[in-house]
Amino acid sequence: MVQIVADSACDFTREIIEREGCAVSYVPINIQLEDRFFADDGSLDVEMFLRQTEASTAAVKTAAPSPERFVDQYKKGDSVFVVTLSSGISATYQAAMTAKQMYFDEFGKKFIHVFDTLSASAGEGLVAQKIAQAVAKGLSNLEIVTLVESFIASMRTYFMLDRFDSLVKSGRINPYVAKLASLLNIKPICGGVGGKLSMLDKARGYSKAVAKLIETIKRDVPDPENRVVGISHAKCFEKAVALKNELIKNLRVKDVIITEVGGVIASYANRGGYVVAL
């Protein structure tokens, strides 16, 4: 049996992956707001969590799961594929790698491969889906690794933020600059560059920001018509649907999957933000 193990920043639902006929389990990332701790285990009320973050002046802190949490999931399959947040923004990949050696030391060798997705959220979901599809086609473990690593190298991930809350609270942007940007209705367009988050562009007004995002995708992705797009949103389903329609209209993408973010991504994207991966 093949088991896919993903950290909780992977925002595709279990049903999306399991409909390909592959088992998947999630390892929760730790979240802290002031003196409160949250389990990002699928049971978290994201609306309640967002309200608490919006009412607080403190930055949300996240921490990688312990390697032991991964070891518990590695026991479930004869072959295990692991999907993690980019190693450029989280220690989760390293925790999963440490867990792999711990499993070998305690239980002996079996096939375990950890993918550094160089992405997050919907990007992780697309990687997990690609693994499941490859398993369904009967590819060998090594063939799956080659296929998925190539997919990761070609994948692009973008972030659209509606609010600057997390950037201000974490000290990544001056609060006065953020206030001015909000007053001017400036929308940042961010993306994953080398597995790390960078601002790629900005626009005044949401419609112009979407247009710039589409132009950026046209520039970066040579074959959007052959790609499935993942959109994960933080309580802005209508915006996600509108973006889906724009992507289909302007890029003729193969399909678009919309999901809602969990606690980890919500804490950074804030309400109204979303992730686009393809």
Side-chain angles (χ1 to χ4, degrees):
M1 183 186 74
V2 175
Q3 181 77 21
I4 297 174
V5 177
D7 63 44
S8 62
C10 176
D11 284 321
F12 271 26
T13 64
R14 182 175 275 104
E15 290 76 16
I16 289 174
I17 300 168
E18 289 184 342
R19 71 187 179 195
E20 305 289 347
C22 200
V24 60
S25 57
Y26 292 88
V27 177
I29 292 173
N30 304 303
I31 306 175
Q32 180 181 357
L33 176 64
E34 298 177 344
D35 59 352
R36 288 163 286 176
F37 293 86
F38 302 87
D40 192 25
D41 58 3
S43 65
L44 178 65
D45 183 336
V46 176
E47 175 61 38
M48 174 276 296
F49 175 69
L50 282 171
R51 287 200 300 267
Q52 293 193 31
T53 63
E54 290 161 0
S56 174
T57 58
V60 175
K61 299 177 182 178
T62 59
S66 69
E68 288 80 7
R69 300 294 292 268
F70 280 102
V71 170
D72 288 342
Q73 300 306 315
Y74 292 175
K75 298 174 185 177
K76 293 183 177 181
D78 301 315
S79 298
V80 180
F81 294 97
V82 191
V83 177
T84 76
L85 268 167
S86 171
S87 62
I89 58 176
S90 171
T92 305
Y93 171 76
Q94 189 54 55
M97 290 294 291
T98 299
K100 177 179 175 179
Q101 188 57 53
M102 289 170 60
Y103 183 94
F104 289 167
D105 292 344
E106 186 171 355
F107 302 104
K109 293 287 182 74
K110 73 174 181 182
F111 183 86
I112 301 174
H113 185 85
V114 183
F115 289 105
D116 179 356
T117 67
L118 303 178
S119 185
S121 192
E124 287 186 72
L126 288 177
V127 171
Q129 184 185 48
K130 181 68 71 172
I131 295 167
Q133 291 171 340
V135 171
K137 291 178 180 177
L139 273 63
S140 70
N141 289 335
L142 294 181
E143 287 173 332
I144 292 171
V145 170
T146 299
L147 174 71
V148 175
E149 291 289 6
S150 177
F151 175 74
I152 290 171
S154 71
M155 185 171 62
R156 296 293 180 267
T157 307
Y158 305 94
F159 306 81
M160 289 276 284
L161 304 181
D162 193 56
R163 303 163 64 112
F164 294 88
D165 301 30
S166 64
L167 295 176
V168 170
K169 293 173 184 177
S170 64
R172 294 179 181 177
I173 186 172
N174 185 293
Y176 298 104
V177 172
K179 185 174 182 179
L180 179 61
S182 295
L183 289 172
L184 294 175
N185 199 22
I186 300 296
K187 304 297 181 185
I189 303 162
C190 303
V193 179
K196 295 184 179 181
L197 182 63
S198 299
M199 183 179 292
L200 304 177
D201 211 333
K202 57 185 180 295
R204 189 168 184 178
Y206 180 71
S207 296
K208 290 181 180 179
V210 169
K212 280 201 172 186
L213 172 62
I214 290 173
E215 287 303 314
T216 301
I217 294 173
K218 284 182 178 178
R219 182 193 67 213
D220 293 348
V221 181
D223 59 341
E225 68 278 0
N226 296 320
R227 299 196 181 225
V228 174
V229 180
I231 301 175
S232 50
H233 66 92
K235 299 298 178 183
C236 56
F237 178 72
E238 293 79 9
K239 285 169 62 176
V241 171
L243 178 61
K244 170 183 175 177
N245 294 334
E246 288 296 315
L247 292 171
I248 292 172
K249 174 184 174 183
N250 292 282
L251 301 177
R252 301 184 184 278
V253 295
K254 183 187 293 185
D255 192 16
V256 180
I257 300 171
I258 297 176
T259 56
E260 188 169 325
V261 301
V264 171
I265 302 302
S267 67
Y268 294 105
N270 303 132
R271 188 186 306 275
Y274 54 77
V275 181
V276 180
L278 71 163

